[in-house]
Amino acid sequence: MEQVKNKQILLNNYVNGFPKESDMLLNDSATINLNLPQGSNAVLVKNLYLSCDPYMRIRMTKTEGSYFEPLTPGSVGTRLYNVFIDPVSLSLRVSGKRVPISGFGVAKVLDSWHSNFKNGDLVSGVTGWEEYSIISAPEALIKIEHTDVPLSYYTGILGMPGMTAYAGFYEICAPKEGEYVFVSAAAGAVGQLVGQFAKLSGCYVVGSAGTKEKVDLLKNKCGFDEAFNYKEELDLNATLKRYFPDGIDIYFENVGGKMLEAVLPNMRLNGRISACGMISQYNLEQEDGVRNLFLMVTKSLRMQGFIVGDFYHLYPKYMEMIIPLIKQGKICYIEDIAEGLESAPAALVGLFYGRNVGKQVVVVARE
Amino acid sequence: MEQVKNKQILLNNYVNGFPKESDMLLNDSATINLNLPQGSNAVLVKNLYLSCDPYMRIRMTKTEGSYFEPLTPGSVGTRLYNVFIDPVSLSLRVSGKRVPISGFGVAKVLDSWHSNFKNGDLVSGVTGWEEYSIISAPEALIKIEHTDVPLSYYTGILGMPGMTAYAGFYEICAPKEGEYVFVSAAAGAVGQLVGQFAKLSGCYVVGSAGTKEKVDLLKNKCGFDEAFNYKEELDLNATLKRYFPDGIDIYFENVGGKMLEAVLPNMRLNGRISACGMISQYNLEQEDGVRNLFLMVTKSLRMQGFIVGDFYHLYPKYMEMIIPLIKQGKICYIEDIAEGLESAPAALVGLFYGRNVGKQVVVVARE
């Protein structure tokens, strides 16, 4: 029995308002046995890359109105948080034992009796914020087949954010050539892809982000037609009118609140809004009220919220599309890589201050 | 040349806040020639029934953010307000001449050189709030074929509100047997039909209205499973939880604002909200902000605003469905009939105080 140290990041307390590094805790004293008992259905993995995603904030508050409350019987199996995430694993204790924060990641199989997985396999899916994890329901893991692209991409363009951009843009917004597309939080893990998908679809696309650096990246690296720093704009409604004199057909909503309120008057007839997140709202005691919803009626707008877990049946189709685009250099993906498990709390917190430029990844180990 | 008196209701001034009777004006001095000039493309009609509809309030304010602003080139022909409503006709003067308020109505053709219409034909469509009107684009009128139902029904169940209920419920909400349906403003021209359509579809349906009388009608006459008086409820969210312990699949939105905010936490996964109007918001200086929109994401909700004019291609199909239901007594339609053109301003104003019980109609003449 090979017993080794296993550093972990634990949730220290439930979060109020903006998350702080001190809401999380490095546990230096845990150990793990690197051999599974014979016949185990679990797999033991070494974590390589961990994903920092805005939705994780929601799971750090003990409220009933969270992602997990609205589950209804019969629909359980198709939800992201059931297929991929164990809802209790972010809670402080499970049967008296502290468990690490969980989230998407890329890992290497170190031990497995499971017929689907053998030692050395690379997998992506939900894992723990720790050096080694025992994945008790490995059926939810995706085996990584293409290893000639950066492995960290499986937390981003080839993982949940990629699927979010793909499902939200193509499936929900049903873009047509020549349409006008606006993407908020455009330099994030999802937004940068939506903008590039929009260009591939022959659309005109403008993105908003929170720094000049991000705005420049959107225009110069991701091919957005225009981008602006929303923090420098006093009147978002007027800003959007300037960038979209003819209005917006598709709004890819990552932000919510005042941004949504400013977008509605600028939407065109029969416009579509796909909403996969509303990051501006996660740290508020009470959500902002959004005005201008009557424009949904007068402009025949459709707003569709979605959870990417409902679209994972399209993952193979998405891979067929995206892998060649990456290899041909027709799509780029900006990552913000934090080194070491210790850096994970700061990296996660940084999302809510817009510190990340591109997809926020934490490297635990490179192989 | 037969010149007769032609009483008219004019808009006296643009409306601020709740409309008042004094915002309208009876003009007793107009006259009209009951014979059209030979070869005219117009038809001359005698108005029988006039429709009072909430959307009319929006056209009585001189704001740019109205129903009419969002028109974009190319989509003009399919919009309600273009096919059926002359947008300038509610303005105070057209080329210096005061024109009456316009709206949906039922009328009898008195004179026509137009090949589609002959004297004595009954028509429905947009006409003036006056005794006689000259309809300059009669192609937009619908010829009434079924005259063995109350003619006033063509302002309601067989007119725009009927189509609104039909399109919004069947086309947009796509109901399934056993689903839970909530209808606000349920005793109104549209709501009472949505509830009955829901029952015909095997759904469970609850309506909200603003008086005990209306609540009783919904339960005893329209077959709603339950109904409540929203004015007696202190916490609409809790009220909805009581009526929908398992949540709401379909919300037919007629009200907006606080009602929508209370509905969102009670929606079930993959719920649908069709929004054809938000009457609670029309008289406000600034729209209420709606919280809880992030639940659109976590519950994968779809909200679809619509304008009934986009669905008029379904009118024949709707008639095929609805006429037999009326004749077989399988559907009822509650009307609130005001007598005489003079009563029209009070009838219209009453909509915004919930004074009408059922569809508000004004009888100008019975034949």
Side-chain angles (χ1 to χ4, degrees):
Chain A
M1 291 234 285
E2 195 189 346
Q3 198 81 10
V4 299
K5 278 208 147 197
N6 187 22
K7 276 188 290 187
Q8 301 181 313
I9 305 292
L10 308 177
L11 188 65
N12 197 29
N13 47 255
Y14 287 115
V15 176
N16 284 313
F18 276 72
K20 303 177 295 297
E21 287 186 52
S22 62
D23 294 325
M24 291 163 272
L25 184 72
L26 179 72
N27 176 19
D28 237 338
S29 64
T31 60
I32 191 167
N33 181 341
L34 290 188
N35 296 307
L36 291 168
Q38 189 166 355
S40 167
N41 271 318
V43 304
L44 190 144
V45 301
K46 179 181 183 190
N47 292 310
L48 304 180
Y49 297 94
L50 298 176
S51 180
C52 295
D53 294 299
Y55 80 87
M56 297 172 74
R57 165 65 185 84
I58 301 159
R59 305 181 64 222
M60 296 171 119
T61 304
K62 196 180 182 175
T63 48
E64 288 191 32
S66 82
Y67 260 69
F68 310 108
E69 185 214 42
L71 279 176
T72 48
S75 58
V76 169
T78 61
R79 309 305 292 181
L80 169 68
Y81 28 85
N82 273 69
V83 176
F84 294 97
I85 301 177
D86 169 12
V88 296
S89 60
L90 260 185
S91 64
L92 290 176
R93 288 163 191 280
V94 177
S95 0
K97 187 169 162 287
R98 302 194 92 175
V99 296
I101 286 173
S102 67
F104 290 101
V106 172
K108 189 166 73 174
V109 174
L110 290 194
D111 195 16
S112 165
W113 297 90
H114 195 289
S115 57
N116 291 359
F117 300 94
K118 61 176 197 302
N119 297 7
D121 278 352
L122 292 163
V123 294
S124 72
V126 171
T127 187
W129 278 30
E130 56 192 343
E131 291 174 285
Y132 305 95
S133 295
I134 292 170
I135 312 282
S136 55
E139 296 76 12
L141 293 172
I142 291 174
K143 234 192 304 194
I144 290 178
E145 289 170 13
H146 302 273
T147 54
D148 48 354
V149 292
L151 274 184
S152 56
Y153 276 17
Y154 286 90
T155 68
I157 185 171
L158 300 177
M160 182 275 282
M163 273 305 295
T164 302
Y166 178 73
F169 187 66
Y170 289 107
E171 295 293 312
I172 290 177
C173 294
K176 290 190 283 289
E177 199 182 327
E179 286 194 316
Y180 299 97
V181 177
F182 176 55
V183 186
S184 56
V190 176
Q192 59 174 309
L193 288 175
V194 174
Q196 294 179 77
F197 293 164
K199 290 313 298 173
L200 290 170
S201 304
C203 298
Y204 178 87
V205 62
V206 179
S208 66
T211 67
K212 183 177 183 308
E213 179 192 6
K214 294 182 192 180
V215 166
D216 289 344
L217 279 170
L218 291 175
K219 290 198 283 192
N220 303 329
K221 192 140 190 269
C222 299
F224 281 62
D225 294 290
E226 288 288 348
F228 64 86
N229 181 347
Y230 71 90
K231 290 179 180 167
E232 288 180 350
E233 301 294 332
L234 295 174
D235 178 348
L236 285 172
N237 185 332
T239 304
L240 290 167
K241 272 204 175 41
R242 207 165 69 233
Y243 284 102
F244 294 99
D246 295 322
I248 300 167
D249 293 296
I250 291 174
Y251 173 44
F252 200 96
E253 167 69 296
N254 291 307
V255 163
K258 296 299 162 203
M259 186 62 94
L260 177 56
E261 187 168 299
V263 165
L264 287 166
N266 288 289
M267 291 297 290
R268 305 179 86 193
L269 280 183
N270 301 311
R272 290 136 273 155
I273 299 172
S274 91
C276 68
M278 295 187 178
I279 194 171
S280 73
Q281 305 297 299
Y282 298 167
N283 302 312
L284 304 178
E285 281 266 321
Q286 189 178 32
E287 247 188 77
D288 286 331
V290 174
R291 294 193 169 82
N292 297 330
L293 285 174
F294 181 57
L295 295 170
M296 298 277 305
V297 177
T298 56
K299 298 183 177 195
S300 299
L301 304 181
R302 173 162 60 85
M303 191 183 331
Q304 171 84 62
F306 72 104
I307 299 287
V308 66
D310 290 342
F311 292 87
Y312 260 78
H313 58 283
L314 299 175
Y315 186 70
K317 192 176 155 201
Y318 174 57
M319 291 295 280
E320 255 175 57
M321 173 189 122
I322 199 74
I323 290 279
L325 289 172
I326 294 172
K327 291 190 181 167
Q328 294 157 19
K330 290 191 179 150
I331 209 153
C332 78
Y333 199 62
I334 302 166
E335 296 183 309
D336 195 329
I337 308 254
E339 291 289 335
L341 185 64
E342 295 82 352
S343 69
L348 181 61
V349 167
L351 288 181
F352 301 97
Y353 295 94
R355 285 188 202 127
N356 59 308
V357 178
K359 166 70 196 175
Q360 182 65 59
V361 186
V362 174
V363 192
V364 184
R366 282 205 155 71
E367 58 177 343
Chain B
M1 293 233 285
E2 196 188 345
Q3 196 81 10
V4 299
K5 278 208 147 201
N6 186 23
K7 275 189 290 188
Q8 301 180 313
I9 305 291
L10 307 177
L11 188 64
N12 197 28
N13 49 256
Y14 286 116
V15 175
N16 283 311
F18 276 73
K20 304 177 297 295
E21 286 186 55
S22 62
D23 293 326
M24 291 162 271
L25 183 73
L26 179 73
N27 176 18
D28 237 339
S29 63
T31 59
I32 190 168
N33 181 341
L34 290 187
N35 295 306
L36 291 168
Q38 190 165 355
S40 166
N41 270 319
V43 303
L44 190 145
V45 300
K46 180 182 182 188
N47 291 310
L48 304 180
Y49 298 93
L50 297 176
S51 181
C52 296
D53 294 299
Y55 79 87
M56 296 171 74
R57 166 64 184 84
I58 301 159
R59 305 181 65 222
M60 297 170 119
T61 303
K62 196 181 183 175
T63 49
E64 287 191 33
S66 82
Y67 260 68
F68 310 107
E69 185 214 40
L71 278 176
T72 47
S75 58
V76 169
T78 61
R79 311 300 295 180
L80 169 69
Y81 28 85
N82 273 71
V83 176
F84 293 100
I85 299 176
D86 171 9
V88 297
S89 60
L90 260 185
S91 63
L92 290 175
R93 287 163 191 281
V94 176
S95 356
K97 188 168 165 284
R98 301 192 94 175
V99 296
I101 286 172
S102 67
F104 290 100
V106 172
K108 188 166 75 175
V109 175
L110 290 194
D111 195 16
S112 164
W113 296 90
H114 194 289
S115 57
N116 291 359
F117 300 95
K118 61 177 196 300
N119 296 4
D121 278 353
L122 292 163
V123 294
S124 72
V126 171
T127 186
W129 278 30
E130 57 192 343
E131 292 174 284
Y132 304 95
S133 295
I134 292 169
I135 313 282
S136 54
E139 296 76 14
L141 294 171
I142 292 175
K143 235 196 298 198
I144 291 178
E145 288 171 12
H146 301 274
T147 55
D148 49 353
V149 293
L151 274 184
S152 56
Y153 276 17
Y154 287 90
T155 67
I157 186 173
L158 300 177
M160 183 273 283
M163 273 306 295
T164 302
Y166 178 74
F169 187 66
Y170 289 106
E171 295 293 313
I172 290 177
C173 295
K176 290 190 282 288
E177 199 179 328
E179 286 194 318
Y180 299 98
V181 177
F182 176 54
V183 186
S184 56
V190 175
Q192 58 174 311
L193 289 175
V194 174
Q196 294 179 77
F197 293 163
K199 289 316 295 174
L200 290 171
S201 304
C203 298
Y204 178 85
V205 63
V206 178
S208 67
T211 67
K212 184 177 183 308
E213 179 192 8
K214 294 181 191 180
V215 166
D216 290 343
L217 278 170
L218 290 176
K219 290 198 282 193
N220 303 330
K221 192 140 191 267
C222 299
F224 282 61
D225 293 290
E226 288 289 349
F228 64 87
N229 181 348
Y230 71 91
K231 290 180 181 168
E232 287 179 351
E233 301 293 331
L234 295 174
D235 178 347
L236 286 172
N237 186 333
T239 304
L240 290 167
K241 273 204 175 40
R242 205 164 72 234
Y243 284 102
F244 294 99
D246 296 320
I248 299 167
D249 293 296
I250 290 175
Y251 172 43
F252 200 98
E253 166 69 294
N254 292 307
V255 162
K258 295 298 162 204
M259 185 62 94
L260 177 56
E261 188 168 299
V263 164
L264 287 166
N266 288 289
M267 291 297 290
R268 305 180 85 194
L269 281 183
N270 301 312
R272 291 136 273 157
I273 299 172
S274 90
C276 68
M278 295 189 177
I279 192 170
S280 73
Q281 304 298 300
Y282 298 167
N283 302 311
L284 304 178
E285 281 266 321
Q286 190 178 31
E287 246 188 81
D288 286 331
V290 173
R291 293 192 170 81
N292 297 328
L293 284 175
F294 181 57
L295 295 169
M296 297 278 305
V297 177
T298 56
K299 299 184 174 194
S300 299
L301 304 181
R302 173 164 57 87
M303 191 184 326
Q304 171 84 61
F306 73 103
I307 298 287
V308 66
D310 289 342
F311 292 88
Y312 260 79
H313 58 283
L314 300 174
Y315 186 71
K317 192 176 155 200
Y318 174 58
M319 291 295 280
E320 255 175 55
M321 172 190 123
I322 199 73
I323 290 280
L325 289 172
I326 294 172
K327 290 189 182 166
Q328 294 157 21
K330 287 189 180 151
I331 207 152
C332 78
Y333 199 63
I334 302 165
E335 296 182 308
D336 197 327
I337 308 254
E339 291 289 334
L341 185 64
E342 295 82 352
S343 69
L348 181 61
V349 168
L351 289 180
F352 301 95
Y353 295 94
R355 284 188 202 127
N356 58 308
V357 179
K359 167 68 196 176
Q360 182 66 58
V361 186
V362 174
V363 191
V364 183
R366 283 202 157 70
E367 61 178 341

